[in-house]
Amino acid sequence: MSNGKLFSIESFELKFPFELKKQISCALQLFNKTDSYVAFKVKTTNPKKYCVRPNTGIVLPRSTCDIMVAMQAQKEAPPDMQCKDKFLLQSVKTFDGASTKDINSEMFNKEAGHLVEECKLRVVYVSPPQPPSPVPEGSEEGSSPKGSVSENGNVSSVDFTQASREFTERSDTQDKYAEGRALITRLTEEKSNAIQQNNKFHQEPDLLKREGNKNRSGVSFIIIVLIGLLGMIMGYLMRKT
């Protein structure tokens, strides 16, 4: 907290969560630490860019006053997110019972002998708060993992990481199961082909054996015919002799 003789304020910096093309605001709270009525006035180096409400006022003894500073929507971000704009808070004691209509520029004129306290404030751009990433709900197997949600609405990164790992492992198991099924099918087909080849191999000797028996039967029949013819010729020759 920054302390002056008349006012106490939280900081000498006005922090704006900068966003393009969007009006953003910053709050400034004044605390009158005296037992007197204190008048204030807020000035800025860039009045067209900012709107201060209220820019003048009276703060009662031991009381607070909230000031809202609104920055107009910006079309482009400044280099390195640095802002050179400044504000000047002027304050001066006034008479008891004073109101806003009693405030005039002469009250803040140091040359007129008034004890004016001044406090310079600088503008600082900060990153806007990031909303939590949406997590799809998952209830059945094969659906997206569901992270736990805390009371403040944020998803627990630990639970989400664990759920993601379990989901990945489950997917890997399903892939391995599918690969196993394909391997079993391929082995079954190869086994069937091997059995067919083996049966064909055993059938070929039987076929050759039957062919050999047929050939031998043919040869025996020819020999018998030749022997019969030879016997007939011999008998014919013997009769002629």
Side-chain angles (χ1 to χ4, degrees):
M1 178 177 290
S2 301
N3 293 317
K5 294 182 179 180
L6 302 180
F7 284 137
S8 292
I9 59 177
E10 290 294 330
S11 173
F12 288 126
E13 296 179 342
L14 295 176
K15 298 181 179 180
F16 290 88
F18 187 84
E19 293 185 66
L20 288 176
K21 300 180 181 181
K22 183 177 181 180
Q23 178 176 301
I24 51 180
S25 302
C26 176
L28 173 65
Q29 187 178 79
L30 307 179
F31 174 70
N32 182 357
K33 54 195 294 188
T34 72
D35 295 324
S36 303
Y37 282 63
V38 177
F40 72 88
K41 184 177 183 179
V42 181
K43 297 180 179 180
T44 179
T45 57
N46 197 341
K48 293 183 178 181
K49 184 178 178 181
Y50 300 94
C51 178
V52 182
R53 290 291 182 272
N55 62 342
T56 59
I58 300 291
V59 183
L60 302 182
R62 308 294 175 180
S63 300
T64 60
C65 176
D66 292 325
I67 300 174
M68 186 62 63
V69 183
M71 184 177 69
Q72 303 299 323
Q74 302 298 298
K75 296 182 180 180
E76 57 183 15
D80 300 327
M81 292 296 289
Q82 299 296 321
C83 183
K84 298 181 179 180
D85 298 334
K86 300 290 190 298
F87 282 82
L88 178 65
L89 172 65
Q90 295 179 307
S91 56
V92 62
K93 286 184 179 181
T94 186
F95 59 90
D96 292 348
S99 62
T100 304
K101 64 181 181 179
D102 297 319
I103 298 176
N104 55 69
S105 59
E106 187 65 23
M107 297 174 62
F108 304 97
N109 187 356
K110 290 182 178 182
E111 297 178 357
H114 298 290
L115 297 177
V116 181
E117 184 174 277
E118 294 183 342
C119 178
K120 294 181 179 180
L121 308 173
R122 70 187 189 96
V123 175
V124 177
Y125 293 150
V126 297
S127 300
Q130 299 295 327
S133 300
V135 179
E137 295 185 356
S139 57
E140 299 295 335
E141 183 178 353
S143 60
S144 300
K146 178 181 179 182
S148 63
V149 180
S150 58
E151 293 181 356
N152 60 5
N154 295 326
V155 178
S156 171
S157 59
V158 176
D159 293 341
F160 180 75
T161 302
Q162 182 178 358
S164 299
R165 184 168 59 252
E166 292 177 354
F167 177 76
T168 302
E169 292 176 353
R170 185 164 62 249
S171 299
D172 293 341
T173 302
Q174 292 177 350
D175 293 340
K176 292 180 179 178
Y177 177 74
E179 293 176 358
R181 288 284 301 273
L183 179 60
I184 292 174
T185 302
R186 187 170 65 254
L187 292 176
T188 303
E189 293 177 353
E190 292 178 357
K191 180 181 178 182
S192 299
N193 293 333
I195 292 175
Q196 292 178 1
Q197 293 292 335
N198 188 41
N199 292 338
K200 184 177 180 181
F201 176 77
H202 286 292
Q203 289 174 359
E204 287 180 353
D206 295 337
L207 180 61
L208 293 175
K209 185 177 180 180
R210 287 195 296 269
E211 292 294 333
N213 292 334
K214 290 181 180 180
N215 293 334
R216 286 195 297 271
S217 299
V219 172
S220 300
F221 177 75
I222 293 173
I223 292 173
I224 294 172
V225 171
L226 290 176
I227 292 173
L229 290 175
L230 182 59
M232 291 176 63
I233 293 171
M234 291 295 291
Y236 176 76
L237 293 175
M238 289 179 65
R239 283 198 299 270
K240 293 189 85 175
T241 303

